[in-house]
Coordinates of all heavy atoms in Angstrom, one line a residue:
Q160 N -116.8 -143.0 128.3 CA -115.9 -144.1 128.6 C -116.5 -144.9 129.8 O -116.9 -144.3 130.7 CB -114.5 -143.6 129.0 CG -113.8 -143.0 127.8 CD -112.5 -142.3 128.3 OE1 -112.4 -141.2 128.7 NE2 -111.4 -143.1 128.4
A161 N -116.5 -146.2 129.6 CA -117.0 -147.1 130.6 C -116.0 -148.2 131.0 O -115.4 -148.8 130.1 CB -118.3 -147.7 130.1
M162 N -115.7 -148.4 132.2 CA -114.7 -149.3 132.6 C -115.0 -150.2 133.8 O -115.9 -149.9 134.6 CB -113.4 -148.5 133.1 CG -113.0 -147.5 132.0 SD -111.5 -146.6 132.5 CE -111.5 -145.4 131.2
D163 N -114.4 -151.4 133.8 CA -114.6 -152.4 134.8 C -113.4 -153.2 135.0 O -112.6 -153.3 134.1 CB -115.8 -153.2 134.5 CG -116.5 -153.9 135.7 OD1 -115.9 -154.9 136.1 OD2 -117.5 -153.4 136.1
I164 N -113.3 -153.9 136.1 CA -112.2 -154.8 136.3 C -112.5 -156.2 135.7 O -111.5 -156.9 135.4 CB -111.8 -155.0 137.8 CG1 -110.4 -155.5 138.1 CG2 -112.9 -155.8 138.6 CD1 -110.0 -155.5 139.5
S165 N -113.7 -156.5 135.5 CA -114.1 -157.9 135.1 C -114.1 -157.9 133.5 O -114.9 -157.3 132.9 CB -115.5 -158.2 135.6 OG -116.0 -159.3 134.9
E166 N -113.2 -158.7 133.0 CA -113.1 -158.9 131.5 C -114.3 -159.6 131.0 O -114.8 -159.3 129.9 CB -111.9 -159.7 131.2 CG -110.5 -159.0 131.3 CD -110.5 -157.8 130.3 OE1 -111.2 -157.8 129.3 OE2 -109.6 -156.9 130.6
T167 N -114.9 -160.5 131.8 CA -116.1 -161.2 131.3 C -117.3 -160.2 131.2 O -118.0 -160.2 130.2 CB -116.5 -162.3 132.3 OG1 -115.4 -163.0 132.8 CG2 -117.5 -163.3 131.8
A168 N -117.4 -159.3 132.2 CA -118.5 -158.3 132.1 C -118.2 -157.4 130.9 O -119.2 -157.1 130.1 CB -118.5 -157.5 133.4
L169 N -117.0 -157.0 130.7 CA -116.7 -156.1 129.6 C -116.9 -156.8 128.2 O -117.4 -156.1 127.3 CB -115.2 -155.7 129.7 CG -114.9 -154.6 130.8 CD1 -113.4 -154.4 130.9 CD2 -115.6 -153.3 130.5
Q170 N -116.7 -158.1 128.1 CA -117.0 -158.8 126.9 C -118.5 -158.6 126.5 O -118.9 -158.3 125.4 CB -116.7 -160.2 127.0 CG -115.3 -160.6 126.6 CD -114.9 -162.0 127.0 OE1 -115.8 -162.9 127.1 NE2 -113.6 -162.3 127.2
T171 N -119.4 -158.9 127.5 CA -120.8 -158.7 127.3 C -121.1 -157.3 126.9 O -121.9 -157.0 126.0 CB -121.6 -159.1 128.5 OG1 -121.2 -160.4 128.9 CG2 -123.1 -159.0 128.3
A172 N -120.5 -156.3 127.7 CA -120.8 -154.9 127.4 C -120.4 -154.5 126.0 O -121.2 -153.9 125.3 CB -120.0 -154.1 128.4
R173 N -119.3 -155.0 125.5 CA -118.9 -154.6 124.1 C -119.8 -155.2 123.1 O -120.1 -154.6 122.1 CB -117.5 -155.1 123.9 CG -116.4 -154.3 124.6 CD -115.0 -154.6 124.1 NE -114.1 -153.8 124.9 CZ -113.4 -154.3 125.9 NH1 -113.5 -155.6 126.3 NH2 -112.5 -153.6 126.6
L174 N -120.3 -156.4 123.3 CA -121.2 -157.1 122.4 C -122.6 -156.4 122.4 O -123.3 -156.4 121.4 CB -121.4 -158.6 122.8 CG -120.3 -159.5 122.4 CD1 -120.6 -160.9 123.0 CD2 -120.1 -159.6 120.9
A175 N -123.0 -155.9 123.5 CA -124.3 -155.2 123.7 C -125.4 -156.1 123.3 O -126.4 -155.7 122.6 CB -124.3 -153.9 122.9
S176 N -125.3 -157.4 123.6 CA -126.4 -158.4 123.3 C -126.9 -159.0 124.6 O -126.1 -159.5 125.4 CB -125.7 -159.4 122.4 OG -126.6 -160.5 122.1
Y177 N -128.2 -158.8 124.8 CA -128.8 -159.2 126.0 C -129.9 -160.2 125.8 O -130.7 -160.1 124.9 CB -129.3 -157.9 126.8 CG -128.2 -156.9 127.0 CD1 -128.0 -155.9 126.1 CD2 -127.3 -157.1 128.1 CE1 -126.9 -155.0 126.3 CE2 -126.3 -156.2 128.2 CZ -126.1 -155.2 127.3 OH -125.0 -154.3 127.5
N178 N -130.0 -161.2 126.8 CA -131.1 -162.1 126.7 C -132.4 -161.5 127.2 O -132.4 -160.3 127.7 CB -130.8 -163.4 127.3 CG -130.6 -163.3 128.9 OD1 -131.2 -162.4 129.5 ND2 -129.8 -164.1 129.5
T179 N -133.5 -162.2 127.1 CA -134.8 -161.7 127.4 C -134.9 -161.2 128.8 O -135.5 -160.1 129.1 CB -135.9 -162.7 127.2 OG1 -135.7 -163.3 125.9 CG2 -137.3 -162.1 127.2
F180 N -134.3 -162.0 129.8 CA -134.3 -161.6 131.2 C -133.6 -160.3 131.4 O -134.1 -159.3 132.0 CB -133.7 -162.7 132.0 CG -133.5 -162.3 133.5 CD1 -134.6 -162.2 134.3 CD2 -132.2 -162.0 133.9 CE1 -134.4 -161.9 135.7 CE2 -132.1 -161.7 135.3 CZ -133.2 -161.6 136.1
E181 N -132.4 -160.2 130.8 CA -131.6 -159.0 130.9 C -132.2 -157.7 130.3 O -132.2 -156.7 130.9 CB -130.2 -159.2 130.3 CG -129.3 -160.2 131.0 CD -128.2 -160.8 130.2 OE1 -128.2 -160.7 129.0 OE2 -127.2 -161.4 130.8
I182 N -132.8 -157.9 129.1 CA -133.3 -156.8 128.4 C -134.5 -156.2 129.1 O -134.8 -155.0 129.1 CB -133.6 -157.1 126.9 CG1 -133.7 -155.8 126.1 CG2 -134.9 -157.9 126.8 CD1 -132.4 -155.3 125.7
N183 N -135.3 -157.1 129.8 CA -136.5 -156.6 130.4 C -136.3 -156.0 131.8 O -137.3 -155.4 132.3 CB -137.5 -157.8 130.6 CG -138.1 -158.1 129.2 OD1 -138.3 -157.3 128.4 ND2 -138.5 -159.4 129.0
R184 N -135.1 -156.0 132.3 CA -134.9 -155.4 133.6 C -134.7 -153.9 133.5 O -133.6 -153.4 133.3 CB -133.7 -156.1 134.3 CG -133.9 -157.5 134.6 CD -132.8 -158.1 135.4 NE -132.8 -157.6 136.8 CZ -131.8 -157.6 137.6 NH1 -130.6 -158.1 137.2 NH2 -131.9 -157.2 138.8
G185 N -135.8 -153.2 133.6 CA -135.7 -151.7 133.6 C -135.8 -151.0 132.3 O -135.8 -149.8 132.3
L186 N -135.9 -151.7 131.2 CA -136.0 -151.1 129.9 C -137.4 -151.1 129.4 O -138.0 -152.1 129.4 CB -135.1 -151.8 128.9 CG -134.8 -151.0 127.6 CD1 -133.9 -149.9 127.8 CD2 -134.2 -152.0 126.5
S187 N -137.9 -149.9 129.0 CA -139.3 -149.9 128.5 C -139.4 -150.5 127.1 O -138.4 -150.6 126.4 CB -139.8 -148.4 128.4 OG -139.1 -147.8 127.4
L188 N -140.6 -150.9 126.8 CA -140.9 -151.6 125.5 C -140.6 -150.6 124.4 O -140.0 -150.9 123.4 CB -142.4 -152.0 125.5 CG -142.8 -152.9 124.3 CD1 -141.9 -154.2 124.3 CD2 -144.3 -153.2 124.4
T189 N -140.9 -149.3 124.6 CA -140.7 -148.3 123.6 C -139.2 -148.2 123.3 O -138.8 -148.2 122.1 CB -141.2 -146.9 124.1 OG1 -142.5 -147.1 124.6 CG2 -141.2 -145.9 123.0
R190 N -138.4 -148.1 124.4 CA -137.0 -148.0 124.1 C -136.4 -149.3 123.5 O -135.5 -149.2 122.6 CB -136.2 -147.7 125.5 CG -136.3 -146.2 125.9 CD -135.8 -146.0 127.2 NE -135.6 -144.6 127.5 CZ -135.7 -144.0 128.7 NH1 -135.9 -144.8 129.7 NH2 -135.5 -142.7 128.8
R191 N -136.9 -150.4 123.9 CA -136.4 -151.7 123.4 C -136.7 -151.7 121.9 O -135.8 -152.1 121.1 CB -137.1 -152.9 124.1 CG -136.5 -154.2 123.7 CD -137.2 -155.3 124.4 NE -138.4 -155.7 123.6 CZ -139.3 -156.6 124.0 NH1 -139.0 -157.3 125.2 NH2 -140.3 -156.9 123.3
T192 N -137.9 -151.3 121.5 CA -138.3 -151.4 120.1 C -137.4 -150.4 119.3 O -137.0 -150.7 118.1 CB -139.8 -151.0 119.9 OG1 -140.5 -151.8 120.9 CG2 -140.3 -151.3 118.5
H193 N -137.2 -149.2 119.8 CA -136.5 -148.2 119.1 C -135.0 -148.4 119.0 O -134.5 -148.1 117.9 CB -136.8 -146.8 119.8 CG -136.4 -145.6 119.1 ND1 -137.0 -145.2 117.9 CD2 -135.3 -144.8 119.2 CE1 -136.4 -144.1 117.5 NE2 -135.4 -143.9 118.2
Y194 N -134.4 -149.0 120.0 CA -133.0 -149.0 120.0 C -132.3 -150.4 119.8 O -131.1 -150.5 119.7 CB -132.4 -148.4 121.3 CG -132.6 -146.9 121.4 CD1 -133.6 -146.3 122.2 CD2 -131.8 -146.0 120.7 CE1 -133.7 -144.9 122.3 CE2 -131.9 -144.7 120.7 CZ -132.9 -144.1 121.5 OH -133.0 -142.8 121.6
F195 N -133.2 -151.4 119.8 CA -132.6 -152.8 119.8 C -133.2 -153.6 118.6 O -134.3 -153.4 118.1 CB -132.9 -153.6 121.1 CG -132.2 -153.1 122.3 CD1 -132.6 -151.9 122.9 CD2 -131.0 -153.7 122.7 CE1 -131.9 -151.4 124.0 CE2 -130.3 -153.2 123.8 CZ -130.7 -152.1 124.5
E196 N -132.4 -154.6 118.1 CA -132.8 -155.5 117.1 C -132.8 -156.9 117.8 O -131.9 -157.3 118.5 CB -131.8 -155.5 116.0 CG -132.2 -154.4 114.9 CD -131.1 -154.4 113.9 OE1 -130.1 -153.8 114.1 OE2 -131.3 -155.1 112.8
Q197 N -133.9 -157.7 117.5 CA -134.0 -159.0 118.0 C -133.2 -160.0 117.1 O -133.4 -159.9 115.9 CB -135.4 -159.4 118.2 CG -135.6 -160.7 119.0 CD -137.1 -160.9 119.3 OE1 -138.0 -160.3 118.7 NE2 -137.3 -161.8 120.3
T198 N -132.5 -160.9 117.7 CA -131.7 -161.9 116.9 C -132.5 -163.2 116.9 O -133.4 -163.4 117.6 CB -130.3 -162.1 117.5 OG1 -130.5 -162.7 118.8 CG2 -129.5 -160.9 117.6
A199 N -132.0 -164.1 116.0 CA -132.7 -165.4 115.9 C -132.7 -166.2 117.2 O -133.6 -166.9 117.5 CB -132.0 -166.2 114.8
N200 N -131.6 -166.0 118.0 CA -131.5 -166.8 119.2 C -132.2 -166.0 120.4 O -131.8 -166.3 121.6 CB -130.1 -167.2 119.5 CG -129.2 -166.0 119.8 OD1 -129.6 -164.8 119.6 ND2 -128.0 -166.2 120.3

Side-chain angles (χ1 to χ4, degrees):
Q160 288 174 268
M162 303 184 193
D163 202 282
I164 199 169
S165 165
E166 284 297 340
T167 317
L169 286 170
Q170 268 169 27
T171 304
R173 289 192 181 99
L174 286 175
S176 174
Y177 301 95
N178 64 29
T179 312
F180 173 73
E181 292 162 339
I182 201 79
N183 285 332
R184 295 188 72 200
L186 192 73
S187 70
L188 191 58
T189 312
R190 280 175 168 149
R191 189 181 82 184
T192 311
H193 191 71
Y194 288 106
F195 289 81
E196 273 175 276
Q197 192 171 14
T198 63
N200 65 350

